[in-house]
Amino acid sequence: MTKPPDFDRHPELRPGWDRRQFIRSAAVGATIVAVGGALLRVAADDLTRSARAEDRPDGRKRLPPGQRVLEFLRPMGGQEGDGEAKTWKLKVHGAVAAPFEVDYANFLKLPQVTRTADVHCVTGWSMLGGLWKGVQIKKLAELAKIKDTARYVILEAAHGFTANVPLLEAFADNALVTYRVNDKPFALQHGAPVRGLIPDLYFWKSAKWITGLKFVKNDEPGYWEERGYHNHADPWKQERYG
Ligand SMILES: Nc1nc2c(c(=O)[nH]1)N[C@H]1C(S)=C(S)[C@@H](COP(=O)(O)O)O[C@H]1N2
Ligand SMILES: [Mo]
């Protein structure tokens, strides 16, 4: 390994050196990807390999086919909301007997849970083992007195973005309306102040900048579903495109 320069005398050499070390470490096991001009370190391949060897309690593989592990959520874009908790509201409506709207302060007074969840992006990365905090979608449905006729929930978000989810996946124990991951609030690009989380479907169903949950009897394909992505989006069946 090359000897580092004398950084006390030449501090301006530090960034270039760090960058070279970073690229070198990538060459010996980790992978790097360029995203919007920045270099992101992709978890060492052995993280992906060990995840491939694991099974979930429900018998499925920990890592769905065609995925590799990233250590952080990669920002995937989308039309941002204003990110403000002060003005944020969630509307729970549709096929329910007691529709309601709740602001951020009152949302925090609803029963909170913290759940582990893996997320899987259709572009091929997964982030495993995040600790997500929020309110379960099944709890919000119960509070709104969901009707027997409801079969799907439409996650509604800023600027008209929607995602349709069957109640089977939406009522999973770790399907949430969430405002913290690993004890941190979401950055604006990740959906601040509050986003949806549907862990067992591809991550595009997890609407960022969420504004509402609409329970419906008949399915309503959402933003990405209308643009060629699969209507259901099960990562273990590789339901990527429609
Ligand atoms: N409101 C909204 N939510 C969205 C999207 C979007 O465009 N708008 N994109 C989805 C897609 S395609 C993905 S992969 C995830 C990415 O979340 P991240 O940027 O936090 O990684 O958000 C999903 N939620
Ligand atoms: Mo995506």
Side-chain angles (χ1 to χ4, degrees), residues 72-81 119-123 125 132 155-163 186-191 195-196 202-210 223-224 229:
F72 303 97
L73 293 180
R74 179 170 162 183
M76 299 301 289
Q79 219 184 336
E80 294 173 352
V119 295
H120 311 289
C121 178
V122 70
T123 61
W125 61 265
W132 307 75
L155 282 70
E156 301 171 320
H159 311 290
F161 179 94
T162 58
F186 293 107
L188 183 59
Q189 63 188 353
H190 293 297
R195 73 179 296 166
Y202 280 124
F203 203 30
W204 82 73
K205 300 278 189 182
S206 293
K208 301 188 274 192
W209 315 290
I210 196 168
Y223 181 90
W224 288 112
Y229 285 86

Side-chain angles (χ1 to χ4, degrees), residues 4-26:
D6 182 348
F7 292 124
D8 291 333
R9 290 178 61 197
H10 304 285
E12 76 283 359
L13 294 176
R14 168 71 77 179
W17 173 265
D18 287 347
R19 192 180 159 91
R20 274 196 304 280
Q21 292 311 106
F22 182 73
I23 289 168
R24 213 169 274 144
S25 73

Side-chain angles (χ1 to χ4, degrees), residues 8 10 52-53 55-56 84 93 111 127 133 135-136 140 147 172 179 182 199:
D8 291 333
H10 304 285
R52 286 206 179 113
D55 290 324
R56 303 177 8 142
E84 292 287 335
H93 63 126
M127 187 189 81
K133 183 178 185 188
V135 179
Q136 290 173 314
L140 293 161
K147 293 181 179 169
Y179 55 95
N182 297 330

Side-chain angles (χ1 to χ4, degrees), residues 1 4 10 15 20 26 29 40 44 48 56 75 113 118 120 125 135 141-142 157 159 165 192 205 217 226:
M1 190 146 276
H10 304 285
R20 274 196 304 280
L40 286 187
T48 295
R56 303 177 8 142
V113 301
D118 301 339
H120 311 289
W125 61 265
V135 179
E142 179 195 318
H159 311 290
V165 178
K205 300 278 189 182
K217 175 171 183 254
E226 288 202 317

